[in-house]
Amino acid sequence: MPLPEQAVIDKCIDKLGDLIEALESHPLFTPPKPQATLYYMWDFVNRNRHLMRELPKVKEEQGQQAAERQWSDAVGRCVFAKILINDTSGKLALMTGADPSNPLDFGDDVKKEADELEGVLPENI
């Protein structure tokens, strides 16, 4: 997938930050031990934001193709995050050691931020 202009990447980074804030605001995100599924998603989204922030460095040090591969991976992770956040099957809970018969409801704020994140992604995904 072609690397977009930095402004597009920056919008994605900003929306990932909004999603992280929404995850941190969830009532079950209580340190030192937040709910397992919630923590997994928080970590997954944080890692994705890191991947996007590193794109200029990857391009400079490893070249355009490496940056495009990382961009493509990061975009896919954004789409996957929304899928996981909206999962009601219990599969995500099972992956994270939580009770699959009682999957976490991420709540309206997290779901809204996941939708908005998807809305800033390129259309050719």
Side-chain angles (χ1 to χ4, degrees):
M1 175 181 301
L3 199 60
E5 293 183 13
Q6 188 61 42
V8 173
I9 296 167
D10 290 342
K11 277 186 187 178
C12 291
I13 291 169
D14 289 345
K15 292 312 296 175
L16 284 164
D18 293 344
L19 180 52
I20 290 165
E21 287 180 20
L23 289 163
E24 290 172 347
S25 296
H26 192 283
L28 296 178
F29 195 87
T30 50
K33 191 171 178 170
Q35 195 271 355
T37 304
L38 189 59
Y39 180 78
Y40 170 85
M41 282 308 305
W42 174 85
D43 185 60
F44 185 81
V45 173
N46 264 292
R47 173 70 180 140
N48 201 27
R49 183 172 63 169
H50 173 75
L51 289 172
M52 287 201 180
R53 285 179 169 166
E54 291 293 306
L55 285 168
K57 181 179 178 183
V58 170
K59 183 177 177 182
E60 180 182 319
E61 294 178 0
Q62 299 173 32
Q64 181 74 21
Q65 286 183 332
E68 288 175 352
R69 281 192 304 271
Q70 185 159 315
W71 166 249
S72 180
D73 182 43
V75 168
R77 289 170 61 97
C78 288
V79 173
F80 192 49
K82 181 180 175 188
I83 291 168
L84 292 175
I85 287 167
N86 287 292
D87 175 62
T88 57
S89 70
K91 291 177 185 169
L92 177 59
L94 192 61
M95 284 175 36
T96 61
D99 180 1
S101 67
N102 187 22
L104 174 70
D105 180 357
F106 283 94
D108 293 339
D109 290 342
V110 172
K111 291 175 183 176
K112 175 183 138 304
E113 294 301 339
D115 287 342
E116 289 183 10
L117 171 60
E118 189 177 53
V120 299
L121 297 175
E123 293 183 19
N124 59 345
I125 55 171

